[in-house]
Amino acid sequence: MINLPLLPILIPLLSAVLLMFFPKRIKAQRVISMIGITGTIIAAIVLAAEVKANGIQTVNLGSWPAPYGIPLVSDMLSVLLVLTSSILTFFVVWYAMIYMDESYERFFFYIGVMFLLTGINGAFTTGDIFNLFVFFEVFLIASYLLIVLGGKSGQLRESIKYLLINVISSALFVTAVAYLYSVVGTLNMADVSQRIDELGSPGIITVIAIFFLIVFGLKGAIFPLYFWLPGSYSAPPIPILALFGALLTKVGVYSILRTYTLFFYHDQGFTHQILGVLALLSIVVGAIGAIAYRDVKTIIIYNIVIAVGVILYGVSAMTPAALEGAVFYLLHDMVIKAALFLLVGVMMAIAGASHLDKMGGMIRDYPRIGWTYLIAAFALAGIPPLSGFVGKLLIVQGGFETGDMVGPLIILLSSLLVLYSAMKIFMNGFWGTPKEYHGAKAHLANRLWVPAAGLVLIAIAYGVGSEAVYPFIQMAVEPLIDPAIYIEAVLKE
């Protein structure tokens, strides 16, 4: 069991390599991908059970002792994110096998997805700040392939913007790591935390903290660094958009959550205040975008920005309740965003367009899809007892505990705007005057509904069963509240 944290990284990596031997055999690629993702899910479940029973699991690659080796660290937060990412990828690939034309699948779609999953799981698991950058690059390179899949003019235009933004942010990332290393002399994240604690709170640490916030904020689409998100994410096909929307920004959010609770928790008066203000501004601009547009993809994309703001406000509050809410809401948002993108993809398949003016009355012919979307919309807005409610409640509670009244009020008001934006899709797309649809994929609508409904069921179970999930959330938050738990597990002899 000692190498268990490696498996959720190695299984998709080896699957991606194996797929390279069957570049044009679509059925073989589908089978290998699904087997690889299923194996990753099983490994993540076993790893979660091991962490629950025996605490944080660590592996030092090459058997070099900490802090000299490269550590992989699976605490409960890491494991829950790896498990959620793998489950989401399973449902999205299932959906893609129905939705995507073979012309798309032949251009290395499955290889790109498996490398994407490798990078994401690696980013969630690594205990080395430089290797966090390495895993970022792994999934970003895979995303460069996926975002241009199909080669349409709009994709190519937006992919250039996406590529430039990520190249710049990667350069900033390396620079931030170099500054950090010049001050503390180590890259092991637990050792970095220990050495910053020994240094106290010199001004350079605050500068580095803001530097990391810019880097991860650009990748996580926090205000004002979200400008690239709506156009870039609306370009690729729906299955790829679902993966990007559910996973990629969340790695940036996780990185802020990890570094701001492990590295930069000593002098919270400045750094966490800035984080809190930017988080609330993200909620505001996201809500404005979500209610202003009538394109179904764009509405859900702006809801990503809102969710990023809600989660990071919880991180900025730094109370146990707020951090529990941030983790709970992070997992919820990954599931529900993937489900919603898949559902609006079904709507687009029926209508042959993504604008609400081209839709109406779909519930007459597709009632299952309509009611499933309505439940997902309620979950997104945080209507009890669905999954969005518990996380927001804890974050609001944490905000009040810090004495802040404005932040919790903005989060509560944003829930109404999120509900309005999601219901706008329901009322204009599923309700209203029925229209004649001639979408090229309309005949696939009921088959596409199945994997989307599977994700909605997971979201329902997550909310209704929150009492059963809560001990895992508490265990995930313990090292965030007390970094000594993480440090001891990684640096133990």
Side-chain angles (χ1 to χ4, degrees), residues 110-147:
Y110 297 105
I111 296 172
V113 168
M114 298 311 289
F115 274 119
L116 189 81
L117 184 60
T118 300
I120 288 169
N121 286 352
F124 289 143
T125 306
T126 185
D128 182 283
I129 191 66
F130 181 76
N131 277 275
L132 179 61
F133 163 75
V134 171
F135 282 117
F136 261 89
E137 293 309 297
V138 171
F139 74 72
L140 283 175
I141 290 169
S143 73
Y144 299 153
L145 162 68
L146 293 172
I147 199 169

Side-chain angles (χ1 to χ4, degrees), residues 365-387:
D365 297 319
Y366 304 97
R368 288 183 299 177
I369 298 168
W371 297 122
T372 303
Y373 174 84
L374 183 63
I375 294 170
F378 286 163
L380 179 70
I383 303 296
L386 298 170
S387 54

Side-chain angles (χ1 to χ4, degrees), residues 74-330:
S74 290
D75 62 355
M76 188 55 75
L77 174 61
S78 165
V79 173
L80 290 176
L81 289 168
V82 166
L83 178 59
T84 306
S85 300
S86 303
I87 291 171
L88 294 184
T89 305
F90 178 88
F91 282 98
V92 172
V93 170
W94 178 8
Y95 184 98
M97 289 191 297
I98 304 167
Y99 185 93
M100 303 280 270
D101 297 328
E102 282 198 12
S103 58
Y104 286 79
E105 292 178 285
R106 288 183 187 278
F107 284 97
F108 314 113
F109 168 73
Y110 297 105
I111 296 172
V113 168
M114 298 311 289
F115 274 119
L116 189 81
L117 184 60
T118 300
I120 288 169
N121 286 352
F124 289 143
T125 306
T126 185
D128 182 283
I129 191 66
F130 181 76
N131 277 275
L132 179 61
F133 163 75
V134 171
F135 282 117
F136 261 89
E137 293 309 297
V138 171
F139 74 72
L140 283 175
I141 290 169
S143 73
Y144 299 153
L145 162 68
L146 293 172
I147 199 169
V148 298
L149 200 65
K152 295 179 181 177
S153 58
Q155 284 179 269
L156 297 175
R157 182 180 62 253
E158 292 298 336
S159 66
I160 292 171
K161 181 169 65 177
Y162 178 81
L163 179 64
L164 288 174
I165 288 297
N166 280 290
V167 167
I168 292 168
S169 67
S170 295
L172 292 173
F173 196 170
V174 172
T175 307
V177 170
Y179 276 131
L180 182 65
Y181 183 76
S182 71
V183 173
V184 298
T186 183
L187 296 171
N188 182 298
M189 291 166 71
D191 200 31
V192 168
S193 179
Q194 203 169 47
R195 297 200 186 188
I196 289 176
D197 190 38
E198 293 167 359
L199 288 170
S201 301
I204 187 64
I205 297 298
T206 302
V207 172
I208 293 170
I210 298 301
F211 211 155
F212 273 104
L213 179 58
I214 293 170
V215 170
F216 297 136
L218 195 56
K219 294 181 182 294
I222 190 173
F223 178 88
L225 305 172
Y226 71 96
F227 58 89
W228 58 272
L229 183 76
S232 296
Y233 275 22
S234 63
I238 280 292
I240 297 169
L241 169 55
L243 280 176
F244 284 15
L247 298 179
L248 295 196
T249 54
K250 305 309 183 295
V251 184
V253 171
Y254 162 79
S255 301
I256 294 173
L257 173 60
R258 180 67 80 185
T259 55
Y260 268 60
T261 54
L262 187 59
F263 296 173
F264 310 122
Y265 63 92
H266 302 88
D267 182 19
Q268 298 177 22
F270 182 69
T271 54
H272 287 62
Q273 243 178 25
I274 291 176
L275 177 60
V277 170
L278 294 180
L280 294 175
L281 289 172
S282 298
I283 295 171
V284 172
V285 298
I288 291 170
I291 62 178
Y293 285 92
R294 291 181 61 80
D295 182 275
V296 293
K297 290 192 294 185
T298 306
I299 291 169
I300 306 300
I301 288 169
Y302 271 101
N303 272 285
I304 295 174
V305 181
I306 298 173
V308 167
V310 171
I311 296 163
L312 291 180
Y313 176 79
V315 177
S316 72
M318 281 291 283
T319 66
L323 289 172
E324 287 171 4
V327 173
F328 196 100
Y329 198 83
L330 173 59

